Amino acid sequence: MDLGVRWKLHGDGRTPAPGAVVRPDERLSWPRTFGLGAQHVVAMFGASFVAPVLMGLDPNLAIMMSGVATIIFLLATRGRVPSYLGCSLSFVGVAAVIRAQGGSSATVTGAVLVVGAALFLLGLAVQKFGARIIHAAMPPIVTGAVVMLIGFNLAPVTASTYWPQDQWTALLVMLFTGLAVVCLRGFWSRVAIFLGLIFGYAISWVFDQVFGKIHSADASGKVVDHWRLDLSAVGHADWIGLPSFHAPSFEWSAILVALPVVIALIAENAGHVKAVGEMTGDNLDDKLGTAISADGAASVLSTAVGGPPNTTYSENIGVMAATRVYSTAAYWAAACFALLFGLCPKFGAIVAAIPGGVLGGITVILYGMIGLLGAQIWINAKVGLRNPLNLVPAAAGIIIGVGGVSLKFTDNFQLSGIALGTIVVITGYHVLRAFAPAHLKSQEPLLDSGTSTYDEEDRERG
């Protein structure tokens, strides 16, 4: 069985010729391959470490399981889809809602495990029936609206939890990160969040030296005098050791909050597989279902031991685009580096010490970008918002999701925020579509541009 773990040496193994690309089944010399792997690890550092911190999970376990998840993904796709799987930011809002309802880390990982299992099953369905089944139920107007409400639902977390801890550091980090994203080029623009973290650490240390302790809310929400950057736990952490594991716990209320994120994950995977296919020149549409299933299986394994869910990372796809090296050997190297970092508690302690003000500055941009990905889905699919069939369910669902509107059924069960907003978007669209006049339904595409070849292939087979 070909698992995609054999690579041909590209040229002399040193520098690709001008205009040449290193294909997924090729590699450069091993020292250069490991160097590229380290570059991929740096590219995913920012988001992949911020996400577990925001979710209240162990960052050491997160980085370790991202390496495991990447290996699972590469084996499942037989080395045809070069991608790195890092901690998914789509679940940050879900974790915040679950914790606000009194849920623990076990409750968070249990809810997310169910989402991973659902994603795995949907991937199997796509393998068998094609992307048509997903896009029939979740056309671009629905997918975009759900992604948007998930992102914008996070706004109160930044405004009430992180920004107040140190507003001036947050402002400076926001400005620096924004400039890095816009003004830097190539690889450096892809690691803008990581650069923002480094800048935030530095400015927090400088402010502590110049101004002393700050009187503001700390991580627990209590207004006290505290250091912006507290690295005391780093000195007590071991250099080598296992991260902290815990078993998941399952509660229906938490699961219902988390399930809508499966829509965002499908959109992410479809877009990333299409992007990789366009860069490598390979038609990877037949691997979409496999990629979705592999993502789901990796997330199930990660959350089963207390880690966060995983998804394909656009930061690493950007590194491939900049280097024109698509070798999966580099991703194997990155996965090995991630496993090693996961075994260093001291490294995890440094990550866990990210100042609240730094998170405030980064999340202002990060959460907004997640929400605006929904708008990007609409733009790519040319969704017409002048059509009331599209406008009404999306408008209602987004306001419910962002505003935290709730619907109480019993004293112990209610739907609100992300869960209720998603239900309104999906059911509202299909119910309205059933009663809408024909002229409102005629221009709705079944598939978005990311997987349009499925439709063409189905017609050819038919």
Side-chain angles (χ1 to χ4, degrees), residues 172-191:
L172 291 173
V173 170
M174 179 192 73
L175 294 173
F176 177 88
T177 306
L179 286 170
V181 171
V182 174
C183 299
L184 296 181
R185 295 289 181 268
F187 170 75
W188 295 109
S189 68
R190 300 293 176 181
V191 296

Side-chain angles (χ1 to χ4, degrees), residues 166-210:
D166 187 355
Q167 61 176 3
W168 296 113
T169 296
L171 179 63
L172 291 173
V173 170
M174 179 192 73
L175 294 173
F176 177 88
T177 306
L179 286 170
V181 171
V182 174
C183 299
L184 296 181
R185 295 289 181 268
F187 170 75
W188 295 109
S189 68
R190 300 293 176 181
V191 296
I193 293 174
F194 180 60
L195 296 177
L197 285 174
I198 295 176
F199 174 81
Y201 272 100
I203 201 68
S204 296
W205 180 82
V206 170
F207 280 3
D208 280 342
Q209 301 305 308
V210 175

Side-chain angles (χ1 to χ4, degrees), residues 3-17:
L3 296 176
V5 292
R6 295 180 179 178
W7 303 275
K8 298 175 292 185
L9 188 65
H10 177 88
D12 61 0
R14 296 180 180 178
T15 305

Side-chain angles (χ1 to χ4, degrees), residues 275-302:
V276 171
E278 289 177 350
M279 286 190 297
T280 60
D282 296 329
N283 187 340
L284 299 177
D285 285 347
D286 62 318
K287 287 296 181 183
L288 176 60
T290 304
I292 292 174
S293 290
D295 189 351
S299 291
V300 168
L301 178 60
S302 178

Side-chain angles (χ1 to χ4, degrees), residues 53 92 145 164 212 233 267 324 343 428:
V53 171
V92 171
R324 297 176 67 82
L343 294 173

Side-chain angles (χ1 to χ4, degrees), residues 302-429:
S302 178
T303 51
V305 297
N310 295 284
T311 189
T312 50
Y313 255 39
S314 59
E315 289 90 340
N316 297 91
I317 293 174
V319 170
M320 285 195 299
T323 61
R324 297 176 67 82
V325 177
Y326 309 122
S327 172
T328 54
Y331 280 104
W332 275 92
C336 292
F337 280 124
L339 289 172
L340 292 175
F341 276 121
L343 294 173
C344 181
K346 192 173 290 291
F347 184 74
I350 294 174
V351 175
I354 300 174
V358 176
L359 291 176
I362 288 177
T363 54
V364 163
I365 295 176
L366 206 56
Y367 292 170
M369 289 171 65
I370 295 172
L372 290 176
L373 285 176
Q376 186 65 45
I377 292 173
W378 289 346
I379 292 171
N380 290 342
K382 299 179 180 179
V383 173
L385 291 179
R386 292 184 178 181
N387 186 337
L389 176 58
N390 296 330
L391 182 62
V392 172
I398 289 172
I399 290 299
I400 288 173
V402 174
V405 176
S406 62
L407 189 64
K408 186 175 181 179
F409 294 90
T410 68
D411 290 338
N412 298 319
F413 180 74
Q414 68 176 18
L415 289 171
S416 62
I418 295 173
L420 182 59
T422 300
I423 292 172
V424 168
V425 173
I426 296 176
T427 59
Y429 173 80

